[in-house]
Amino acid sequence: MAVKIFIKRKVQGDNTAQLAILLKKLRALTLEQPGYLSGETFNRIDKKDECMVISTWRSVEDWNSWVNNPKRTEIQAVIDQLLGEETDYAIYSA
């Protein structure tokens, strides 16, 4: 059963460009992952500092493999440090 992952991040104004670079790195790695189906990135209109990524995976197991991927965790740690808080994840079944 496919799952959708909602990934919410709050961006500090000065960090937008750095975050964009890191998210592109993550996206490039994600494309190589078994079970990855698609992803979309949205910028919130009423709160300029918030963005949302909706990622679709074949299964929660595929998502969990990605979450535990050492390359991903390394980039994610830099993102969280840049943002000053942990990224928020929510998993939904489709």
Side-chain angles (χ1 to χ4, degrees):
M1 173 186 351
V3 294
K4 294 219 180 249
I5 315 302
F6 289 73
I7 306 166
K8 184 169 66 171
R9 295 181 175 98
K10 291 186 180 178
V11 185
Q12 307 297 328
D14 297 345
N15 298 328
T16 304
Q18 289 177 289
L19 179 62
I21 292 167
L22 292 167
L23 291 178
K24 284 180 186 178
K25 286 182 181 181
L26 274 183
R27 176 66 57 99
L29 287 173
T30 304
L31 294 173
E32 303 171 4
Q33 299 309 302
Y36 175 75
L37 300 176
S38 67
E40 296 178 281
T41 302
F42 300 91
N43 294 308
R44 190 162 167 179
I45 293 171
D46 62 330
K47 292 186 179 182
K48 300 288 185 193
D49 66 339
E50 194 172 297
C51 69
M52 172 78 67
V53 173
I54 301 174
S55 182
T56 305
W57 293 80
R58 182 180 51 207
S59 69
V60 72
E61 292 80 16
D62 290 325
W63 164 251
N64 286 333
S65 291
W66 170 237
V67 166
N68 295 309
N69 180 307
K71 291 179 184 177
R72 190 208 73 83
T73 57
E74 182 180 323
I75 295 169
Q76 185 59 53
V78 175
I79 290 171
D80 289 346
Q81 183 178 23
L82 182 70
L83 300 180
E85 62 182 54
E86 290 187 13
T87 299
D88 182 46
Y89 300 94
I91 303 171
Y92 294 85
S93 62

